[in-house]
Amino acid sequence: MSLAEASVSVPAHVPQDLVVDIDVWRRPELNAAGLHAQLLNFHQKYPDIFYTPRNGGHWVVTRQALMAVALNDNDHYSTSVGMIPRPPIPIPLIPLTLDPPAHTPFRVVLMRFFGAKKVNSMENSIRELARKLVEEIADRKECEFVRSIGAAVPVTVFMLMMGMPLERFDEFRSLVVEYFSPVSDERRVELHGRIENEMVALIEQRRQKRGDDLISQLLEEKIEGRGLTDYELKSICVLLFQAGMDTVANASAFLFEFLAQHPEIQAELAAHPEKISDCVEEGLRMFGVANTPRVVTQDTELGSANLKKEDMVLFMLPLAGLDDRVIDSPMKFDLSRSRRPHMMFSGGPHICAGQFLARIEMRAMLEEWTKRIPKYSLRPGFVPQPKFWHIIGMSKLQLIWK
Ligand code: HEM
């Protein structure tokens, strides 16, 4: 355990009735199959916002309404400290760790590459890739889904966008998967350094010889009339690397794990492929994969809590989509819902820049899979082993079919 993980004494501004002494990262039931159902305990047992002295001491927000208020309030909350416990060195990830207005021009640049229009133009090639990968495994009657499809589709798309060498797929992915695991501070800093070095090398290659990839285009971009600095470019690429290499894989793994245990939904999707978009959105609502932090920049109130400058706050985003105050029967996987307010992609100015891409990738995967492999189940004896951290990961999912 690092120093930062240790319990701290409860600060004077925190009333006893808002203290819940739990280590959110190390709860066995959240690091096991079925973790999203277990998350409901947070709504049932704990206040809407509470303070835990673990992991350096931080608030935990469990309800969607409070998340929506705080994530849109740049006057009191900052993204500048990107982890709980606070990392031993600052880890800048542009634009995520910048607050508006500094954040805005970088966000505008990124949305040129990840906005809905741009991403829609990529749909055919994403679908083609998903089809090819599903074809490759369909006759095998079994697969480890994450390596074969769940990560293979989004990570290949991302690596091609960035102009990264596909033969290093497994090496790059294992860097990110480990980075998002509950490793020691020292190891995370080391992994961050390795990711940075890879990105610096890639940027340097593009500087020498431009291609039609995203990095080559970033080298030509201007913000406020000037080109991006080396530091900014590196930081953007490190964020994209982290964001692009694991999140969609995890979201898909949780959705397919659920579907593999629900033949009646598989049959419905096979008979009505037009319901696949709803299925993806319901999966995003029910199986959130990100918990995001903020640091308080000025004393403020959130719900019944008084927050002080420098307090850390954890927004457990998966709980927003499971909040029974805004969703009827939240644990019911319901393809016919007319609305699905969730915060899988967060909210406010930092709402995930990759959300359009993520949705298209998940839809293409599920559509192509359902066409070729309409009935499937978990391999008998396979036990999923999710990891609960800022990113909720599931790196293996064994499926079988006839
Ligand atoms: C299901 C998949 C994904 C999920 C659940 C997800 C979730 C998130 C979350 C929770 C944030 C942080 C927002 C905050 O702290 O308020 C975020 C930010 C971001 N994501 Fe994603 N993400 C996904 C896929 C992607 C992909 C595929 C990319 C790009 C390749 C991407 C790029 C980004 C970027 C650039 C940001 C920073 C945005 C900003 O600060 O303005 N994400 N994402």
Side-chain angles (χ1 to χ4, degrees), residues 19 30 48 50 55 67 73 98 126 134 157 167 182 212 223 243 276 289 291 293 313 327 329 340 373 379 398:
V19 177
L30 298 185
D48 298 357
F50 66 86
N55 293 304
M67 295 186 202
D73 177 357
L98 293 178
I126 295 173
V134 173
V157 169
E167 61 274 17
D212 55 4
I223 56 156
I276 285 180
V289 297
N291 297 297
V313 189
I327 305 266
S329 312
R340 297 185 175 85
I373 310 173
R379 175 190 273 182
Q398 302 284 354

Side-chain angles (χ1 to χ4, degrees), residues 47-115:
D48 298 357
I49 172 165
F50 66 86
Y51 184 92
T52 168
R54 306 294 178 111
N55 293 304
H58 64 97
W59 296 95
V60 178
V61 180
T62 70
R63 291 289 180 175
Q64 187 178 120
L66 295 185
M67 295 186 202
V69 167
L71 293 171
N72 280 289
D73 177 357
N74 310 304
D75 293 334
H76 296 97
Y77 301 89
S78 166
T79 49
S80 59
V81 182
M83 278 177 211
I84 292 176
R86 287 168 186 259
I89 56 162
I91 298 193
L93 298 170
I94 294 176
L96 186 56
T97 50
L98 293 178
D99 300 314
H103 161 265
T104 314
F106 295 99
R107 170 88 189 189
V108 169
V109 165
L110 276 191
M111 292 320 284
R112 287 206 254 282
F113 303 99
F114 293 102

